[in-house]
Amino acid sequence: MQRRAVAVYVALFLLVGAAAGALIATAESPELTFEDPEFELSENDTFEVDGQEYTVVAVTETEAEDDVGDVEIERSGQIEWEEITEQSETWANESVVEFDGDEWRVHIEGEEPTEFTLVEVLDREAILADDPNAGNETVERDGEEYVVVSDEDGDDRLVPADEYFPAPEQRTFAVGDELEYDGQTVTVDAVTEGEVTLVWEGPEVMSLDVGQESVITLGDTEFVANFPDGSTLTLSTDLAAYEAQLAEVDRLEQYDNGLWNVLIVSVLGAVLLAAAAFIPSRY
């Protein structure tokens, strides 16, 4: 009689567990939907937000296998735009820079300098090559540098290099001066013993990586991003609807976790009752 009662309870536990298992098996995780998005974009499409133009430079889809062998699809994208930003460049003391179509050496003097000088770097090889009466390279005699020059009689004589080559051009700039460099107007922002800092305002390419169902800010506007397929990116400003759907997904996940708890407890209860029914009685 005792075992019959246990059998009834075991059957009841198994029935409850089976019902929970059936609900788990038939439950479907809801997909987030984004109705009437502000933008539906493909790769290389441009769009404008708050007066700024943006470009979708990439929309990608990859497949990855998780630990249990299921294939997960990951989608992402990248957006680029240009902003006018303050940019800078530094020239180290005694370094050679390209300026005004030629090479110049940066020269800074003094302990607390406020200016610097660009000294023209002469192309000595080109100057010697243009002179039919001069050798193709300088020579050194007793620690001094000379140019071998032939006179009208064909006799060679040594001309000190400092006398032969023209004096290099020099240009001096102070803090606050403007100069044309690399196709733009730059300002001397600071001069120290070790370097010169130039600043200017110019376009800079900015980029933003976009993930599936991520919230991004473009200008002053927030969007929720979605990739409905491997080649499309949608942007929606309806964050309230998005958050409501997230709350519903969270609620269903909690419901699903509760069903799993019921299933586990039911199976364990049935096993324990069945085992208890076969424990020999002392009486």
Side-chain angles (χ1 to χ4, degrees), residues 156-175:
D156 292 340
R157 62 189 180 90
L158 297 178
V159 179
D162 291 342
E163 294 180 13
Y164 177 84
F165 293 107
E169 181 183 354
Q170 298 186 17
R171 301 185 189 181
T172 300
F173 302 93
V175 173

Side-chain angles (χ1 to χ4, degrees), residues 90-97 104-107 117-119 121 194:
T90 58
W91 291 345
N93 189 21
E94 299 305 324
S95 64
V96 175
V97 298
W104 302 73
R105 187 174 301 280
V106 180
H107 182 65
T117 301
L118 291 179
V119 182
V121 178

Side-chain angles (χ1 to χ4, degrees), residues 238-253:
D238 194 356
L239 268 68
Y242 170 65
E243 291 173 355
Q245 292 184 73
L246 287 181
E248 178 64 15
V249 170
D250 184 61
R251 187 187 69 81
L252 290 175
E253 287 181 351

